[in-house]
Amino acid sequence: MLNLNQLRIFYHVARRLSFTAAAGDLFISQPAVSAQIKCFEDFCGLRLLKKRGRTLHLTDEGMALYDYARKIFECEREIENALEDMRALKRGVLRLGTTKTYARYFMPDLITRFHEAFPNIKVQLNEGSSLEMTESLLDFQNEVAIVAKAVEHPDVVFKPFSQEEVVLVSSPGHPAGEKVHLTLEELTHEPIIMKEKGSGTRKLVAEAFSKKGLVPNILMETSNTEFIKQLVQRGEGIAFLVRAAIALELQEGKLRILRIAEKPLFLDVSIAHLKGQSLSPPAKVFLEMLSNIAAAGGAPNKGLRSLMADVLASHWSRPSRP
Amino acid sequence: MLNLNQLRIFYHVARRLSFTAAAGDLFISQPAVSAQIKCFEDFCGLRLLKKRGRTLHLTDEGMALYDYARKIFECEREIENALEDMRALKRGVLRLGTTKTYARYFMPDLITRFHEAFPNIKVQLNEGSSLEMTESLLDFQNEVAIVAKAVEHPDVVFKPFSQEEVVLVSSPGHPAGEKVHLTLEELTHEPIIMKEKGSGTRKLVAEAFSKKGLVPNILMETSNTEFIKQLVQRGEGIAFLVRAAIALELQEGKLRILRIAEKPLFLDVSIAHLKGQSLSPPAKVFLEMLSNIAAAGGAPNKGLRSLMADVLASHWSRPSRP
DNA sequence: GCGAGCCATAAATTAAACTTATGGATAACA
DNA sequence: TGTTATCCATAAGTTTAATTTATGGCTCGC
């Protein structure tokens, strides 16, 4: 097998046409170069260098080999650059999993912030239910997931990140809107358009009902929040949705929030990643960023030029739960 | 500096996604692989491999590095192939210097033979005077030279290869042709068209004259043998030329040989190369081929499809000098 | 739950690479 | 033309790096 250390020494000798100079470049002694070149020529079974007087020349074979060696060590240089870029976060991938709702209403801001700090890290955003995204960590599809804590897993760490209020919404003219405080019992008579099974919202709502021994009247279910909003606007039913998801519709008066007699529903959003320090540099800094945001109470990024600015503002400035 | 041994081990681990399998491929023990991979990750400052259960995965950084590593080791494979080809003479260059006359009249046969034996060795034929070609060995322009031994040189070996008869030629109707045996004295009255200084033929002829204290009557001189033949055919003068160079013209009756009273002139042709075993494999086998040819008395290659066949035949079948 | 397979770890060994010291050859310089 | 500096070769000794053997832990399939 080719000894690449010897090839490296040969490369430097060929480049400088001097054993001594090559030794200097490589920070080794001249006899070390002599010995390795000799070994290398023996291995090759070819003379690679000729000496005339005290000037060194490459043989034809040496030339051919030098051409190849240059390719290899150019490639080595590329590797070193790539390594440096990866270490310095000038290059890399952040594979991130979130729920559809989160991806739609909260991620644009987060990703924009991340890109501002690390412009060269590609973000690959994958969507799925909280459970799917948590499981996607286990087979390395994603490195970080932002989810409603679904199922505890021994190898996954969940860090609380934020709490999203889940509100009951109807069309502005919906008769249920007359009541000041709707009870869950009363709601069982109303057709509800529900998020799909596996959804964090669905789980939260379902638990609220079942805690009282009640069964909601589910008219239909879908994972498509926009679709739910459309149906609710048309008065087909009412729905439980994350407040931030309906910010625009509230502003425009297309939807209204129905007050319920219960204490407000909050969806716990967590950052999930595998246990252990096995995070890539991009994932590490992303988690750091999220920690900082969480610690700062989710203060909005004022410099953000996102179209979602208003929606996001309503998200980040929501009053924290008592 | 990147440790290419470690990169190699990483490459095999990444390829097989198994430390044990990689160890097998590399004919080393599994702990050796573990240790080197650990060193390599430390050097990189990045985790390159992840273990889930007992299956190994590449991290994103590992993937990136693996892509580079593949390039490097593909290139290494190319080097190994190139080395093997060069050793096996399936690839290489033979840089050969000869005189113009030799290149024109004898080399086609030699090169054809050589190519038949070593089809993949490129022959680079350089022409110049015997002296120039001998000197071209010293600065490695050529590795082998076929020359009239010009000047002895301590670093150059001359091996006698053949002797080419130099004959005096005139046009068929030239008045000098009436004489049966021309003496050199008589020739001093004839205008001679002479090869250029530095030419082996010129040197041979000049010595023959000067040995008798005579000075030839040189009408003109040129290195272009074809031009000399043209002038002689037109009756502008007579010339000394290597017999093989005028074989066609003799056959066609365009030139005639003038008998001289002297004993025939023979030009000693030698193979010259640098002293020492510093010859490339192509040069070595070429010299071997020449030795065989010389030993066999220069027997013609009957399979030769060269246009020069006749000319060459007259060369190889000439009676050897007593 | 038991055993086979795979990787990690530690200590000891081996082999490769390197250094220092020195000598010979070449070319530049006086 | 001798002198000197430079460069490579050689040899012996040293150091570092890589590797092996031995072992233990963990995971997965049975």
Side-chain angles (χ1 to χ4, degrees), chain B residues 37-183:
Chain B
I37 290 292
K38 174 178 276 203
C39 285
F40 190 55
E41 284 189 329
D42 287 348
F43 169 83
C44 293
L46 297 166
R47 296 203 57 73
L48 305 173
L49 296 158
K50 281 185 177 178
K51 219 171 56 174
R52 182 103 230 107
R54 78 184 177 194
T55 54
L56 222 51
H57 297 256
L58 284 168
T59 63
D60 292 324
E61 290 77 16
M63 294 263 200
L65 212 53
Y66 179 52
D67 287 340
Y68 285 110
R70 268 207 320 258
K71 272 209 279 181
I72 285 201
F73 294 108
E74 268 169 31
C75 194
E76 186 199 27
R77 165 67 52 176
E78 281 179 37
I79 288 187
E80 283 168 348
N81 291 340
L83 281 175
E84 186 45 41
D85 285 353
M86 291 193 282
R87 278 191 288 252
L89 287 157
K90 288 182 191 159
R91 162 182 180 157
V93 182
L94 174 66
R95 279 176 294 105
L96 197 54
T98 70
T99 62
K100 284 185 184 169
T101 304
Y102 218 86
R104 173 76 178 78
Y105 302 105
F106 305 118
M107 286 315 297
D109 173 50
L110 290 179
I111 289 177
T112 302
R113 291 193 194 196
F114 184 73
H115 266 150
E116 279 169 3
F118 305 100
N120 302 307
I121 304 289
K122 275 188 224 159
V123 177
Q124 190 181 315
L125 186 59
N126 302 300
E127 298 175 11
S129 74
S130 291
L131 185 61
E132 284 167 357
M133 291 300 98
T134 301
E135 282 171 346
S136 76
L137 298 174
L138 299 173
D139 54 9
F140 302 124
Q141 279 180 39
N142 291 311
E143 235 183 328
V144 177
I146 304 183
V147 294
K149 181 154 43 171
V151 181
E152 283 286 350
H153 190 285
D155 294 338
V156 177
V157 185
F158 292 90
K159 292 179 184 162
F161 175 59
S162 75
Q163 289 156 331
E164 302 302 329
E165 190 178 2
V166 172
V167 293
L168 181 62
V169 296
S170 70
S171 63
H174 196 281
E178 305 306 314
K179 298 234 176 168
V180 179
H181 288 297
L182 280 165
T183 65

Side-chain angles (χ1 to χ4, degrees), chain A residues 2 44 52 87 138 155, chain B residues 8 44 52 87 138 155:
Chain A
L2 193 63
C44 293
R52 182 104 228 104
R87 278 190 288 253
L138 299 173
D155 293 339
Chain B
R8 186 200 298 283
C44 293
R52 182 103 230 107
R87 278 191 288 252
L138 299 173
D155 294 338

